[in-house]
Structure formats: structure tokens, C-alpha cells
Amino acid sequence: MIYGLFNLLFLLLSVAIVGMSVYALVHAMRVPANAFLSAGKLKKEWWLLILALATLFSAGGALWYLQAFLLIGGGSFIGVQFGLFSIAAVIAATIYIVDVKPAVKGMGGGRGNNGPYGPW
């Protein structure tokens, strides 16, 4: 039974990593390219590439855990199979969400000539 709980925990953790990577990728797609340069961060194209790879690798890891969980279940412990790419995906998405997202927040959001409290 304890193996089943651990397997379920790793499955849920891998799904959370996919969600975090997708969230970071969607946010990066919605931010204008000049906001990244104005904030002194990498170009938008680089962040899109990094986050797309992070999403791809984390989705692959989650799919592996789902297949293993459905086949093995609680019979034996699947083990920690995140691998180097899944760890890199977590790091990339975390850096974007914690560092880049607050820096580009509100830059060029398509508000036109409006200030933070309405038109000037």
C-alpha cells in the first residue's frame, strides 16, 4: 500500500510540473517581446524555446509516470525517474515564474495611453 501512495505522489508531482511549465509558456507567449528587453531579460524567443522544451520534457515524464502507475499501481515502487531533463524543466519554469514574470508584468500590456488608474 505504501508503494501505491508513493507512486501516486510522484504522478501528482509530475502533473504539477507540467501545469507549471504550461502556465509559464502561456504567460511568455502573451507578453510583448519588447517587455523582455526592457526588463533586461533574455529575448522572448529564447524564453519561448526554453519553456517549450520544459513543457515537452515534463509532459513526457508525466506520461511515463501515468503509464507506469496504471501498469504497476501499488505492486512495487516505480522509483524516482524524473531525470535530468525534468529537473531542468522545473528549474526553467521556476526561474521564469519567480524572476522574469514579475519583471515583465505590466510592460506593454496593450493598455494604450492609460495609466494604472485610468486614462491620463
Side-chain angles (χ1 to χ4, degrees):
M1 180 172 159
I2 192 77
Y3 292 143
L5 290 175
F6 278 130
N7 292 341
L8 182 62
L9 175 70
F10 283 114
L11 175 63
L12 293 176
L13 188 59
S14 65
V15 170
I17 292 169
V18 172
M20 186 171 73
S21 299
V22 168
Y23 172 75
L25 180 62
V26 169
H27 184 272
M29 283 193 262
R30 296 182 63 186
V31 174
N34 61 355
F36 289 91
L37 296 176
S38 298
K41 304 298 177 187
L42 286 176
K43 288 184 174 182
K44 179 178 181 172
E45 293 81 16
W46 283 106
W47 275 113
L48 290 176
L49 176 66
I50 291 168
L51 294 172
L53 289 174
T55 302
L56 177 70
F57 291 131
S58 62
L63 181 63
W64 184 88
Y65 268 112
L66 178 64
Q67 290 174 343
F69 183 74
L70 291 176
L71 293 176
I72 297 172
S76 64
F77 183 56
I78 296 172
V80 180
Q81 297 293 328
F82 278 100
L84 185 61
F85 291 118
S86 293
I87 294 170
V90 170
I91 292 170
T94 302
I95 288 173
Y96 182 84
I97 291 170
V98 172
D99 183 43
V100 178
K101 183 180 175 236
V104 298
K105 182 180 178 184
M107 291 188 177
R111 288 187 267 180
N113 293 327
N114 291 342
Y117 304 109
W120 288 92

